[in-house]
Amino acid sequence: MPDLLKKKNLDILEKEFGTINKLSEQIISGDIRTLSRCITLSESSREDHQIFARAVLGKILPKTGNSLRIGISGPPGVGKSTFIETLGLYLLKKNKKIAVLAVDPSSAKSGGSILGDKTRMEKLSQSEKVFIRPSPAGTTLGGVGRHTREALLLCEAAGYDTIFVETVGVGQSESAVSNIIDIFYLLISPGGGDELQGIKRGIVELADLIIINKADGSLKKDAENIARDYSSAVKLLRPRFNNWVTKVLTCSALENTGIDKIWNSTEEFFQKFNKEREILNYRKDQYRKWLREEIIQNLNKQIYSSTKINGLIEFYENKVLVGDILPSDAAYEIVNNFLKK
Amino acid sequence: MSGISKKLFEEWRELARKELKGKSLDNHFWNTPEEIKVMPLYTEEDLSALSEQKESLPGLEPFLRGPRATMYTNKPWTIRQYAGFSTAEESNEFYKKCLENGQTGLSVAFDLATHRGYDSDHPRVLGDVGKAGVAIDTVEDMKILFNEIPLDKMSVSMTMNGAVLPVLAGYIVAAEEQGVAQQNLSGTIQNDILKEFMVRNTYIYPPGQSMRIVSDIIAYTSKNMPLYNSISISGYHMQEAGATLTQELAYTLADGIEYVRAALSAGLEIDEFAPRLSFFFCTGMNFFMEVAKLRAARFIWAKLMKQFNPKDSRSLSLRTHCQTSGVSLTSQDPHNNIIRTAYEALAAVLGGTQSLHTNAFDEALALPSKLSSRIARNTQLILSEETGVTNVIDPLAGSYYVESLTKQVIDKTLSLIEEVEEMGGMTKAVSEGFTKMRIEESAAKKQARVDKGEEVIVGVNKYVNSNLNDKIELLEVDNEKVIKEQIKKLSKIKKERNNQKVAVSIDQLRKGANGKGNLLELSIEAIRARATVGEVSAAIEDIFSRHKAVSKSITGVYGAAFSEDKMYSETQKKVNEFANREGRQPRILVAKLGQDGHDRGAKIIATAFADIGFDVDVGPLFATPEETSKQAIENDVHVVGISSQAAGHKTLVPELIKSLKKNGGEKVIVVVGGIVPPGDIDDLKNSGVSAIFGPGTPIIDSANQVIDILLDKN
């Protein structure tokens, strides 16, 4: 992989960040500074950074694959961070090493964003055995999947055995994330009866556990009601796995109730799949998808960075707009032309 | 129209148009931040619909013109200066001197460790002990604090909300051991926890449990301490945090209603406690609006309290303390602050306040010195005794402008209160962070107005005097010495007390928190047995848990105001240049260290920097230097920005830099913003701080400097 970089570029990068060998060793030894550095490099919009990060990833790949990969999503305000804090503190008592990767939305206008996760996972973030990294989603959605996957692999190599990937729950990033994780939690809050409509059906289909949070105080009854609604609704959905029926559970992250049930179900999930080796097959499927996605992204980038093709696109666009040619025929011509080069 | 004929008015309009050289008069309307449209001229016609205001008299319902019939003509307002110096000994000496020099009431400032219920030897509070007020660990400290001050004669106000139970208990026991019975104690405890969740953040327990404490205190004092004000419902910190005047008023009164409901549901009768509720407002530079605000406050409170059917008319009357605005003070050209404070004091007095604190001019630089405290006190003495303002009650009543403005403030405020009520009341609105967001939005807008020069601050964004060289003597606190002294006292008491008795009382307290006992009564028992502030707080925390703030941030408000600003777009350009070079946006961690919960500055910085194009990590409140450094490294930030309002920086920032270096973050740039005394600047820079931004630095300037440092460095 590093041969994609010119020797001179590689030298500069190795001088700035350390050699690829050194970096991978340090990650494997659990050095947090190096881990966070390499995540930055993989998230970078600079191509040389990305290639360099991938070179490190290539080295640490044999050390990956040993964690429980858990996706968490839900609408804004449902209490995802509080939930992770409570569940995380519970898991610390079970001697787990936890990483949390949170994808935050960016404001596209200026490129900046506010990443406030640690204010919400205050106690968890203080632990030596916890690594929390919020990342801006960036302006391209395609980035979410790739960046998060690479960060996840880096965390695994650094020895984190339970990894949470948190997304906002507006739809697009969830399906990308579902290609990275093993089990998917969907968090829902009990307020209001039309919640079922508020969450896109597609996301509900991805869920292995549907968790009704905030089952406390005056909302406790509502939580139980909505849990019942979901229990009957999921029966109509096609499950993600043949031998796992989506479970609906209630909890209160605030009052720390129902957390053990959630973890028991999670362990049950993994036991089942480890026994039947389905997790491995599932992860292989994810890699197949990853490969195909990368092919498309690569092609995409190459096509649009060619000035010749861009000229051609402009040429055909005009023809399309005046009705001289169908868009599909125009696309065929353009792609053919690109392949001929 | 009885006074001015239509013809005459048109004549005036014509004349005005001429003077404006043909421009419309409409351009001379002033849209205030409260969204009140102030006209250039008011006439008798504007009064015609205001019969309720016109027919009002002082001391009578609805108390628009004052809570008492005679107001200052009989007795001027109480000059009550808020102060506290590191140790009980120093504070006591200072109080005694103030009383000799004409001050008429005491107001105790506690350090942040005490506020948050920690003893001085707790590892989380090392930077905060003795910094922004007096450190109190046990009743022995309390006794020293009030040594030779007769508590049966002197009314004492205590600003305490988080650790109210051990502190109020400490005051009661100290008085008891001085020989003063509870029923003779007069004064006020702030005990206003709801606003802590919106601004200031010196809470300990979650909102629901905190409300239980409030009603326990109201219940206990209304039975045993009839002269004592059990709560001071405060808007002060809201305005300081950036709230508009109508937001300050609305949320404060809505808080008040919430406390009334809590007390009623605890089984009290309305007239048992309502007459002892008192308020606390901020008086800023918007002169007439401030006068109108206090008048409106009394009017609305009387209306709102009617719903509880009190028989005693005192239950309808709002009495208030006022303090001049702290954020209106500037570190640049600080002597200007004396003048600002004087105008603000005048507004509070014309609005009819019952007591007043005037700020010291050096408070934007450090904690007040002896000289600045004296000038602040004298500002009130001169106002009270030289100007003649005390001779007439509510002298601005009947002014076309002030009465109209009062009416508009009333209407605006009522609609804001209604919004909160519709959400299900203040505890709910606060738990959901609704009001906090509203205030933060106003704060971001205000900052944008100031940074753009639309709101003038002399010496800051206009008439800037760059070669000032005034020498100002500032107060320095030797924090390590205070900690040592406090720890010595603590270990002595822990050795001498009956530990068995302490354990029993603490256990009782836990049981009470779990069940029904009155928590103040149980705290008094524990404090009497020499339990510490930290022990009492921790016992209750065991049952109630410690509150964690839900922090929400807004974006877009600051940036929207700058869409066409040149400096703004230049800074954005630099940010983009950096992002292209580095492969990502510049990333900054905005952090607060120690127990200082004033997060207005941090919040505004976060939202403005995000608008400009930074990726902003927001650190949790009350972090230690090690925690902040861990976060900076995990998030791989380029910059850590520390916001400091309470003098903890001198200890905490160097610790942070040390910790960053130890963990491989030696390249992370550290900048500090907030109240940094000039004398600390060199020390901070020597410890590795790259830039320091004092109060009044436009955010865009600080962003510009930060990005320059980053571009330069890499």
Side-chain angles (χ1 to χ4, degrees):
Chain A
M1 196 89 90
D3 41 298
L4 286 173
L5 284 175
K6 291 204 180 85
K7 176 82 177 77
K8 203 177 99 197
N9 276 350
L10 181 66
D11 285 347
I12 293 171
L13 289 172
E14 290 209 319
K15 200 166 162 231
E16 187 176 350
F17 298 105
T19 66
I20 289 168
N21 280 333
K22 183 97 195 282
L23 288 171
S24 48
E25 273 164 32
Q26 278 174 334
I27 286 176
I28 291 166
S29 77
D31 181 66
I32 294 189
R33 177 76 190 146
T34 312
L35 173 64
S36 85
R37 261 285 148 101
C38 288
I39 293 178
T40 303
L41 286 169
S42 91
E43 286 172 351
S44 175
S45 61
R46 264 174 57 176
E47 202 174 1
D48 57 336
H49 283 168
Q50 291 174 18
I51 296 170
F52 187 70
R54 269 183 266 147
V56 177
L57 267 169
K59 283 259 176 219
I60 54 118
L61 209 53
K63 296 280 176 189
T64 63
N66 305 319
S67 80
L68 308 181
R69 304 168 177 177
I70 302 171
I72 296 186
S73 186
V78 67
K80 290 181 288 291
S81 307
T82 314
F83 173 80
I84 297 176
E85 162 118 332
T86 309
L87 178 58
L89 292 171
Y90 170 87
L91 293 176
L92 278 181
K93 284 194 202 127
K94 293 185 173 283
N95 235 349
K96 301 276 186 198
K97 248 185 116 181
I98 300 162
V100 181
L101 303 170
V103 181
D104 260 292
S106 289
S107 112
K109 209 170 163 193
S110 60
S113 60
I114 292 193
L115 309 143
D117 256 350
K118 286 188 210 189
T119 64
R120 285 170 247 143
M121 298 184 226
E122 196 179 325
K123 277 213 181 112
L124 197 62
S125 69
Q126 290 167 10
S127 166
E128 293 267 313
K129 293 165 78 181
V130 176
F131 177 85
I132 302 178
R133 172 74 174 235
S135 295
T139 37
T140 52
L141 257 173
V144 176
R146 181 202 278 169
H147 296 159
T148 314
R149 191 190 324 253
E150 291 179 356
L152 183 136
L153 293 174
L154 289 164
C155 287
E156 282 184 343
Y160 294 92
D161 53 28
T162 310
I163 301 180
F164 294 101
V165 177
E166 179 197 346
T167 52
V168 194
V170 284
Q172 298 104 316
S173 37
E174 279 66 30
S175 50
V177 166
S178 78
N179 287 326
I180 300 170
I181 46 81
D182 303 323
I183 182 169
F184 195 87
Y185 296 173
L186 174 64
L187 258 66
I188 288 168
S189 68
D194 49 0
E195 292 273 344
L196 258 179
Q197 284 85 42
I199 295 155
K200 294 207 177 67
R201 193 186 145 98
I203 300 185
V204 180
E205 281 177 349
L206 295 174
D208 302 302
L209 288 188
I210 293 177
I211 297 166
I212 321 292
N213 190 19
K214 299 191 180 173
D216 45 47
S218 60
L219 289 175
K220 203 165 176 179
K221 257 250 127 64
D222 293 344
E224 279 156 18
N225 288 337
I226 201 159
R228 218 168 303 125
D229 290 349
Y230 270 98
S231 296
S232 40
V234 293
K235 286 188 191 125
L236 306 172
L237 299 175
R238 203 161 49 93
R240 231 153 54 94
F241 299 99
N242 288 330
N243 45 4
W244 181 261
V245 182
T246 306
K247 286 198 178 189
V248 182
L249 299 167
T250 61
C251 79
S252 163
L254 198 70
E255 291 179 356
N256 198 359
T257 54
I259 297 297
D260 47 349
K261 266 189 292 171
I262 289 164
W263 192 247
N264 289 343
S265 297
T266 307
E267 283 190 323
E268 193 190 322
F269 178 95
F270 280 106
Q271 266 157 21
K272 213 164 195 170
F273 287 100
N274 281 335
K275 210 158 52 194
E276 296 163 28
R277 301 191 60 76
E278 229 184 283
I279 283 288
L280 273 180
N281 290 330
Y282 179 56
R283 286 183 176 173
K284 277 181 189 157
D285 273 346
Q286 290 179 330
Y287 274 76
R288 284 188 196 105
K289 272 193 200 159
W290 185 6
L291 172 64
R292 279 159 184 76
E293 260 169 40
E294 290 288 343
I295 293 172
I296 290 172
Q297 281 196 16
N298 255 305
L299 275 176
N300 231 329
K301 207 161 152 194
Q302 289 197 37
I303 290 184
Y304 286 106
S305 57
S306 147
T307 37
K308 192 181 113 199
I309 295 295
N310 274 323
L312 215 55
I313 291 175
E314 208 176 311
F315 171 76
Y316 277 108
E317 201 171 56
N318 289 329
K319 293 184 87 155
V320 165
L321 292 180
V322 296
D324 272 358
I325 186 172
L326 277 172
S328 40
D329 291 337
Y332 184 81
E333 291 294 330
I334 295 167
V335 173
N336 255 348
N337 208 302
F338 172 71
L339 293 176
K340 260 188 274 169
K341 85 173 167 176
Chain B
M1 209 189 312
S2 56
I4 298 162
S5 71
K6 208 159 186 143
K7 188 167 157 275
L8 193 62
F9 191 74
E10 272 315 308
E11 214 173 291
W12 169 78
R13 276 184 74 91
E14 200 38 52
L15 204 59
R17 225 190 318 264
K18 253 187 221 152
E19 283 178 20
L20 294 171
K21 300 199 168 74
K23 267 187 272 166
S24 165
L25 257 180
D26 292 346
N27 296 338
H28 283 252
F29 280 58
W30 170 39
N31 274 315
T32 75
E34 291 74 20
E35 290 170 354
I36 289 174
K37 222 172 179 185
V38 173
M39 303 187 289
L41 180 75
Y42 288 79
T43 64
E44 195 183 340
E45 200 195 326
D46 296 300
L47 287 185
S48 60
L50 308 180
S51 55
E52 220 180 340
Q53 284 171 232
K54 282 192 288 188
E55 286 155 23
S56 171
L57 283 174
L60 294 171
E61 209 187 312
F63 301 101
L64 173 81
R65 305 198 56 189
R68 304 240 188 289
T70 52
M71 293 298 288
Y72 310 143
T73 59
N74 176 34
K75 189 172 164 257
W77 66 91
T78 305
I79 301 174
R80 191 191 295 283
Q81 297 295 89
Y82 176 59
F85 289 94
S86 298
T87 61
E89 288 83 356
E90 280 176 79
S91 304
N92 175 259
E93 204 179 300
F94 180 80
Y95 294 155
K96 283 191 287 196
K97 205 161 277 160
C98 289
L99 296 173
E100 271 166 37
N101 290 329
Q103 188 168 315
T104 45
L106 281 186
S107 177
V108 184
F110 296 95
D111 74 351
L112 287 164
T114 309
H115 274 290
R116 300 263 301 148
Y118 294 115
D119 287 336
S120 301
D121 58 355
H122 195 285
R124 290 197 77 87
V125 299
L126 291 180
D128 295 302
V129 175
K131 278 285 185 178
V134 56
I136 298 291
D137 292 326
T138 67
V139 67
E140 296 301 333
D141 290 330
M142 269 299 185
K143 282 165 74 181
I144 297 167
L145 189 67
F146 296 120
N147 186 31
E148 292 172 16
I149 295 172
L151 291 174
D152 49 346
K153 294 195 185 70
M154 182 55 55
S155 97
V156 175
S157 160
M158 293 190 288
T159 298
M160 179 51 68
N161 303 280
V164 265
L165 289 170
V167 167
L168 182 53
Y171 164 72
I172 291 169
V173 176
E176 180 181 288
E177 297 184 6
Q178 217 186 61
V180 178
Q182 290 182 19
Q183 70 257 29
N184 295 328
L185 290 174
S186 71
T188 309
I189 184 131
Q190 197 163 74
N191 193 26
D192 172 12
I193 200 69
L194 286 171
K195 63 105 176 32
E196 296 293 335
F197 296 105
M198 280 184 254
V199 292
R200 199 161 177 269
N201 299 311
T202 43
Y203 45 70
I204 304 178
Y205 316 110
Q209 285 87 336
S210 298
M211 286 300 281
R212 145 100 192 267
I213 294 176
V214 172
S215 50
D216 275 8
I217 289 174
I218 295 179
Y220 184 91
T221 52
S222 69
K223 207 167 89 199
N224 303 299
M225 299 160 73
L227 304 176
Y228 198 76
N229 299 318
S230 51
I231 190 163
S232 166
I233 307 153
S234 309
Y236 184 83
H237 317 85
M238 298 182 203
Q239 189 183 138
E240 288 288 280
T244 65
L245 270 54
T246 45
Q247 283 173 338
E248 176 195 6
L249 187 52
Y251 298 155
T252 308
L253 296 178
D255 281 349
I257 293 299
E258 197 74 354
Y259 294 126
V260 169
R261 289 192 185 123
L264 289 175
S265 67
L268 291 171
E269 291 291 327
I270 184 81
D271 290 328
E272 280 181 276
F273 66 91
R276 305 278 3 136
L277 298 175
S278 71
F279 286 81
F280 172 26
F281 291 106
C282 179
T283 315
M285 287 302 286
N286 195 346
F287 189 86
F288 288 105
M289 188 80 80
E290 289 292 5
V291 177
K293 184 183 80 188
L294 290 186
R295 304 177 83 240
R298 291 187 293 265
F299 184 89
I300 300 170
W301 185 246
K303 296 264 155 204
L304 292 174
M305 289 299 281
K306 271 278 188 205
Q307 62 179 296
F308 303 109
N309 300 314
K311 300 203 175 52
D312 186 343
S313 83
R314 288 178 310 156
S315 295
L316 301 173
S317 116
L318 176 145
R319 296 163 305 123
T320 190
H321 171 70
C322 284
Q323 179 172 338
T324 58
S325 161
V327 282
S328 73
L329 306 182
T330 64
S331 62
Q332 301 90 329
D333 224 345
H335 290 115
N336 287 346
N337 297 331
I338 301 175
I339 302 146
R340 292 190 178 99
T341 299
Y343 284 128
E344 291 168 345
L346 178 59
V349 164
L350 292 176
T353 190
Q354 278 56 65
S355 60
L356 180 61
H357 167 105
T358 30
N359 285 328
F361 72 87
D362 53 0
E363 282 184 77
L365 298 164
L367 299 168
S369 67
K370 303 228 155 113
L371 169 75
S372 69
S373 302
R374 196 176 78 225
I375 294 176
R377 187 174 55 244
N378 288 342
T379 305
Q380 291 198 51
L381 289 169
I382 291 166
L383 182 58
S384 169
E385 301 193 25
E386 294 186 18
T387 65
V389 282
T390 56
N391 295 328
V392 174
I393 302 163
D394 191 20
L396 290 179
S399 144
Y400 306 139
Y401 173 36
V402 173
E403 290 293 3
S404 303
L405 197 56
T406 304
K407 173 72 172 131
Q408 277 176 296
V409 171
I410 290 170
D411 291 345
K412 269 267 162 344
T413 304
L414 281 173
S415 72
L416 289 173
I417 292 175
E418 205 167 306
E419 199 176 48
V420 170
E421 288 290 292
E422 269 167 18
M423 289 189 74
M426 227 15 174
T427 311
K428 196 107 192 290
V430 158
S431 304
E432 286 172 18
F434 168 76
T435 42
K436 192 175 167 72
M437 290 278 275
R438 275 292 167 87
I439 293 173
E440 279 165 15
E441 208 178 289
S442 301
K445 284 186 190 155
K446 184 183 164 78
Q447 184 71 43
R449 286 196 304 275
V450 171
D451 285 0
K452 290 174 80 180
E454 288 171 4
E455 208 171 296
V456 172
I457 301 176
V458 171
V460 175
N461 61 6
K462 210 171 179 185
Y463 316 111
V464 180
N465 195 343
S466 49
N467 41 16
L468 269 184
N469 214 355
D470 296 349
K471 273 263 174 294
I472 294 172
E473 292 277 327
L474 296 171
L475 177 84
E476 285 252 7
V477 175
D478 186 351
N479 161 261
E480 277 169 38
K481 190 174 141 231
V482 181
I483 293 182
K484 262 190 215 133
E485 278 174 35
Q486 288 302 114
I487 289 179
K488 213 164 87 194
K489 284 195 276 184
L490 260 174
S491 56
K492 183 163 173 270
I493 287 167
K494 283 186 182 169
K495 231 181 273 157
E496 289 171 357
R497 69 186 184 181
N498 180 338
N499 276 317
Q500 172 92 37
K501 219 168 141 194
V502 173
V504 170
S505 69
I506 289 289
D507 198 45
Q508 287 299 324
L509 198 51
R510 260 193 222 110
K511 280 195 190 120
N514 227 342
K516 278 205 150 153
N518 187 298
L519 291 175
L520 178 55
E521 197 173 334
L522 293 166
S523 300
I524 292 173
E525 277 307 317
I527 292 286
R528 227 183 246 137
R530 281 4 189 209
T532 68
V533 168
E535 287 165 340
V536 169
S537 301
I540 299 169
E541 185 185 334
D542 288 344
I543 311 298
F544 284 177
S545 81
R546 195 168 266 266
H547 178 66
K548 275 180 294 181
V550 182
S551 172
K552 295 180 188 166
S553 301
I554 48 168
T555 52
V557 177
Y558 186 86
F562 279 91
S563 53
E564 276 155 32
D565 188 86
K566 200 165 150 243
M567 177 112 167
Y568 187 80
S569 54
E570 267 169 23
T571 310
Q572 277 194 323
K573 221 183 279 165
K574 287 188 203 166
V575 168
N576 288 337
E577 185 193 331
F578 181 86
N580 286 334
R581 213 172 69 186
E582 291 293 304
R584 59 169 175 154
Q585 304 300 123
R587 190 162 179 168
I588 182 170
L589 167 62
V590 178
K592 302 253 349 155
L593 293 176
Q595 297 303 307
D596 161 27
H598 293 90
D599 62 350
R600 181 198 69 97
K603 283 299 187 64
I604 293 187
I605 293 280
T607 166
F609 270 58
D611 285 352
I612 292 164
F614 284 73
D615 280 335
V616 182
D617 290 280
V618 181
L621 283 173
F622 316 120
T624 64
E626 291 72 27
E627 287 158 10
T628 300
S629 117
K630 176 174 187 269
Q631 180 170 5
I633 285 168
E634 283 181 4
N635 294 8
D636 198 11
V637 299
H638 301 104
V639 189
V640 179
I642 299 297
S643 162
S644 175
Q645 308 291 328
H649 53 261
K650 235 181 134 175
T651 322
L652 298 169
V653 173
E655 286 285 324
L656 167 72
I657 292 172
K658 225 188 285 166
S659 175
L660 278 171
K661 279 189 184 142
K662 200 179 92 195
N663 296 302
E666 62 283 335
K667 282 194 185 154
V668 178
I669 285 165
V670 177
V671 299
V672 177
I675 298 180
V676 179
D680 292 358
I681 290 177
D682 283 345
D683 284 352
L684 285 177
K685 289 216 159 148
N686 288 338
S687 77
V689 172
S690 299
I692 293 160
F693 309 112
T697 312
I699 294 186
I700 199 73
D701 282 359
S702 59
N704 204 29
Q705 279 189 55
V706 168
I707 194 71
D708 279 343
I709 295 171
L710 287 176
L711 284 169
D712 218 40
K713 197 178 159 210
N714 292 311

